[in-house]
Amino acid sequence: MMTATQYEAVIGIECHVELKTASKMFCGCANEFGGEPNTKVCPVCLALPGALPVPNRAAVEHMIRAGAAFGAEIPEFSKFDRKNYFYPDMPKNYQISQYDMPLTKGGIVRYWLDDGSMRECRLTRIHLEEDTGKSTHAGSGDGRIAGSEYSLVDFNRAGVPLMECVSEPELRSAEEAVAYLEALKRTFVQLGVSDVKMEEGSLRCDANVSIRPTGSTALGTKTEIKNMNSFRSVHRAIESEIARQIAVLESGGRIVQETRGWDEIAGTTHSMRSKEQAHDYRYFPDPDLVPLEIDAALVERLRATLPVLPPARFAKYHSEYGLSPAHATQLIDNASLSAYFDACVNAGGRPQQVANFVLGELSRLSNEGNVPVAESAVTPHDLAELIALVEGNTINSKIAKELLGRMWSGEGSPKSIVEKEGLAQTSDTGAIDGFIAGVLAANAEVVADYRAGKTNVLGFLVGQVMKASRGKANPALVQERLREKLG
Ligand SMILES: [Zn+2]
């Protein structure tokens, strides 16, 4: 949009991520997605009178590892607070959460954009809380409460451990917001602290969006957008909200602080509730839970378990190995493929060549046969050997592709197949001249065309010679000899 005033967006993200644990946050019920409604419940997560919560140690440890991965401070003391509000799918009428003393404070999320540039966004905090149950509105009507005849509630999800990651308002575009979320997602997956399946609701996020004239440091009035159920809808919702806010200001209006819902079908946000209707949660420390005292030795022990994290891996693949941002990202987002890639490079394969084979032909064979590359018959050592054969001009790339298919089928190492089948590329000029003579004799008209100036037929002739050699001739040599003969 061309306007006299140029605006920049100021975006912060709040993101809820379900932790992957065997049991729920404060009871022994299974933490599993789905199942018959209300089968994974007990007096604690149903909030029956007298039931008492006991914190889940694995969830606390996941939080510490997540915080440590982003370089957050892990305070020695933290505590649980009650967040009071009424909602039909929340049996206690309060949620156990953390208010002023969260498990982790600060930290930095490093992420990258499609062009490979690295960015940073500071975290305010990551705190631990419990998830709510789930309501389903049924009967006639459009699925909203007002039009429904009745509502059903499933408490299987009630009490599932949830971490809430709050970012500082340091993101400046929808693209940055999505790249930031991708970074959170791949870090949590890599740490094994969450499955992060948006389609199962294990990652849910809200965006705070405001705009201000470019160059200004003051913050504009923000709106909070909810109901975005994919990274694509996060992108669309933020873009749509930025455009709406610009239009409001340009027409002389003012932005109202409110919560807005994203409508996936209409592609717009709409007002849900204003600031005046905002909840007062009346937080206070949960008297049923003692404060958490985190031992520094535990933090150190967990810190030592951190794997190589995505930003470091990206720097290695992209900056050091020279892979494209897209190739580097594709590898990082597939743990087993990335480990396979590393093994091939360690076996001596040149990184760019390895990436081309792994993400190209090998991934194609993997999809076709529904077998992960790492579990195929092609060992990292064999792939490195194949690459060496191509680079040493023993075989050309067309034969390499064919060989890879045979290696995939378990026919053995590339060297052994080449020897057994005599597939080695021939640079024997005598043999090549023989193929050329045959091709020229059989294509007199094409030869005449070439000599009459239609030099683009050379490619056709090269192809014919390659075919006559069953793909084994050295293509560069074929071209050179052909040119000479055609003079
Ligand atoms: Zn339970």
Side-chain angles (χ1 to χ4, degrees):
M1 181 184 295
M2 283 302 294
T3 52
T5 314
Q6 291 296 313
Y7 295 95
E8 72 170 2
V10 176
I11 303 161
I13 300 278
E14 281 175 28
C15 167
H16 287 91
V17 181
E18 283 182 353
L19 293 171
K20 189 163 78 179
T21 51
S23 56
K24 291 186 181 179
M25 186 59 226
F26 297 109
C27 63
C29 294
N31 171 14
E32 286 167 359
F33 177 76
E36 278 293 298
N38 300 309
T39 52
K40 293 159 191 163
V41 291
C42 74
V44 174
C45 55
L46 288 176
L48 301 188
L52 288 172
V54 178
N56 181 330
R57 186 184 178 92
V60 172
E61 294 192 354
H62 280 350
M63 288 287 295
I64 295 172
R65 292 179 78 236
F70 298 119
E73 178 199 346
I74 316 289
E76 198 180 346
F77 288 98
S78 55
K79 67 176 170 68
F80 291 107
D81 298 278
R82 289 186 179 180
K83 181 180 183 180
N84 298 278
Y85 62 104
F86 172 78
Y87 209 74
D89 57 22
M90 194 174 62
K92 291 195 285 287
N93 287 334
Y94 63 81
Q95 179 185 24
I96 304 178
S97 181
Q98 296 192 292
Y99 185 55
D100 54 344
M101 294 175 73
L103 254 163
T104 88
K105 287 181 182 169
I108 293 174
V109 177
R110 295 171 64 216
Y111 62 94
W112 59 88
L113 301 179
D114 288 349
D115 66 3
S117 59
M118 292 294 294
R119 302 279 165 93
E120 288 182 352
C121 177
R122 280 178 301 156
L123 283 168
T124 310
R125 59 196 269 154
I126 307 178
H127 70 249
L128 181 56
E129 57 188 31
E130 57 177 344
D131 210 344
T132 61
K134 222 173 172 174
S135 305
T136 305
H137 309 297
S140 66
D142 63 357
R144 297 178 191 198
I145 296 178
S148 304
E149 283 171 349
Y150 57 92
S151 292
L152 299 165
V153 64
D154 174 9
F155 290 115
N156 284 350
R157 199 179 70 179
V160 163
L162 198 62
M163 61 178 157
E164 180 171 335
C165 310
V166 183
S167 87
E168 291 290 307
E170 294 181 341
L171 302 161
R172 293 289 174 267
S173 64
E175 188 196 6
E176 287 190 359
V178 171
Y180 163 86
L181 282 166
E182 299 268 15
L184 284 189
K185 176 179 170 172
R186 60 173 67 95
T187 303
F188 296 146
V189 169
Q190 184 139 32
L191 293 174
V193 302
S194 175
D195 291 333
V196 201
K197 289 183 182 158
M198 246 178 143
E199 66 281 10
E200 291 183 2
S202 65
L203 183 147
R204 312 190 284 275
C205 60
D206 306 328
N208 290 303
V209 178
S210 64
I211 57 168
R212 64 185 177 195
T214 304
S216 160
T217 50
L219 290 171
T221 304
K222 70 179 177 187
T223 59
E224 183 182 24
I225 317 172
K226 289 188 177 293
N227 298 342
M228 300 170 290
N229 53 20
S230 67
F231 286 172
R232 198 178 110 79
S233 55
V234 169
H235 193 276
R236 292 177 68 210
I238 291 174
E239 295 247 285
S240 148
E241 180 60 12
I242 292 170
R244 185 193 72 85
Q245 291 190 10
I246 291 175
V248 168
L249 293 187
E250 287 293 304
S251 64
R254 65 180 187 92
I255 307 296
V256 179
Q257 185 170 343
E258 61 186 350
T259 301
R260 298 180 67 85
W262 166 244
D263 187 326
E264 186 71 42
I265 293 162
T268 53
T269 62
H270 55 268
S271 181
M272 286 169 79
R273 57 176 183 264
S274 71
K275 194 187 176 191
E276 286 69 38
Q277 295 159 281
H279 294 293
D280 171 7
Y281 294 117
R282 294 173 294 117
Y283 281 97
F284 63 85
D286 193 310
D288 290 340
L289 289 156
V290 294
L292 288 170
E293 196 176 336
I294 307 295
D295 186 7
L298 173 70
V299 176
E300 282 321 302
R301 187 170 63 71
L302 292 172
R303 202 188 294 280
T305 67
L306 294 181
V308 177
L309 293 162
R313 207 170 269 275
F314 185 78
K316 187 173 177 190
Y317 288 177
H318 177 55
S319 310
E320 189 185 326
Y321 291 169
L323 304 191
S324 69
H327 275 181
T329 306
Q330 255 179 293
L331 286 172
I332 290 167
D333 285 346
N334 184 330
S336 103
L337 211 55
S338 158
Y340 182 87
F341 170 84
D342 289 343
C344 295
V345 172
N346 288 337
R350 207 155 54 79
Q352 296 229 25
Q353 293 277 33
V354 173
N356 288 342
F357 276 112
V358 168
L359 296 170
E361 191 61 10
L362 276 178
S363 289
R364 194 189 65 77
L365 289 165
S366 163
N367 291 336
E368 207 176 81
N370 209 11
V371 174
V373 171
E375 287 167 33
S376 76
V378 182
T379 67
H381 178 268
D382 286 350
L383 185 67
E385 189 177 290
L386 181 74
I387 290 170
L389 289 175
V390 177
E391 294 191 329
N393 280 322
T394 305
I395 56 171
N396 59 44
S397 54
K398 189 166 170 285
I399 296 278
K401 198 170 152 186
E402 186 193 317
L403 263 187
L404 199 55
R406 300 176 64 170
M407 290 155 66
W408 184 271
S409 322
E411 289 190 34
S413 81
K415 264 187 187 157
S416 68
I417 304 174
V418 166
E419 277 164 25
K420 198 169 63 193
E421 310 268 330
L423 291 173
Q425 174 164 282
T426 176
S427 297
D428 170 355
T429 45
I432 289 177
D433 286 353
F435 293 129
I436 289 178
V439 168
L440 295 187
N443 294 280
E445 267 180 48
V446 182
V447 172
D449 284 348
Y450 181 88
R451 293 196 167 125
K454 278 182 73 181
T455 50
N456 60 349
V457 298
L458 186 68
F460 167 78
L461 292 171
V462 171
Q464 292 301 303
V465 175
M466 290 304 293
K467 201 169 152 190
S469 78
R470 289 179 39 238
K472 292 191 299 185
N474 176 340
L477 197 57
V478 168
Q479 201 168 79
E480 189 191 311
R481 303 292 295 171
L482 256 176
R483 276 220 175 87
E484 212 168 281
K485 305 265 174 215
L486 289 166

